[in-house]
Amino acid sequence: MTTMPLTASTTSQGHAAPIQWRFPGAAIVMALLTVLLAATSGGESVLSMRNASRRFPIGDIHLDSTTVTIVLAVMAIIAAAGATRRAIARARGVAAYTTVAGTIFVLAFLIWSVAGNASTMPVVQLLQGSVAFAVPLILGALSGVVCERSG
C-alpha cells in the first residue's frame, strides 16, 4: 500500500482536499455584476482631474462608458475564470484573482455611476478623502497591535 505525499491538495488520509469556493464564488458574482453594469451602461463618463497638479494642468478625461465597461467586464470574467481554475487546481493565488475582479468591479461601478450624467467623477477628491479617512483607521489598528503586544 503506497501513500500519497501530503500536499496542500490532499488530506492526511490521502484524499483530495475539498475545493474552497469562497473566493471563486465572489469573483464570479463580481464578474456577473460587472457584465450587468456593462449591459446597462450608456453615454459618456467624465472623470475630473481638477487640482491634481499645480505645475501641469490635467483636463477632464472623457470616456465612452459602454466601451470601457465592456472591456472591464471581459477583464473581470478573465479574473473570475483564473480564480476558478486556481481553486479547482487547489493552487495558491485565488485571493489575488478575486482582488483583481473586485477592483475591476469598483472601477466599472464608478464609471457606470456617472455615465450619461451632467456631473463628473471627482477622482482627486475621492482619493484625498479615501486617504484622509484611511489614515486614522490604520493608525488606530496599528496602535491596537502595539498595545496588545506590550501587555
Side-chain angles (χ1 to χ4, degrees), residues 36-110:
L36 179 67
L37 292 176
T40 60
S41 179
E44 183 180 59
S45 297
V46 181
L47 306 178
S48 174
M49 297 294 178
R50 215 168 294 132
N51 300 328
S53 173
R54 292 186 179 135
R55 290 187 178 180
F56 306 104
I58 300 173
D60 293 346
I61 299 172
H62 298 268
L63 302 170
D64 179 31
S65 64
T66 305
T67 305
V68 173
T69 52
I70 288 173
V71 169
L72 289 173
V74 169
M75 291 171 61
I77 290 169
I78 291 170
T84 305
R85 183 181 56 84
R86 304 266 313 168
I88 290 172
R90 293 170 181 85
R92 295 181 185 259
V94 180
Y97 282 98
T98 305
T99 303
V100 169
T103 304
I104 290 170
F105 169 70
V106 169
L107 289 174
F109 179 76
L110 289 175

Side-chain angles (χ1 to χ4, degrees), residues 129-142:
S130 298
V131 171
F133 285 119
V135 168
L137 289 173
I138 292 170
L139 291 177
L142 287 175

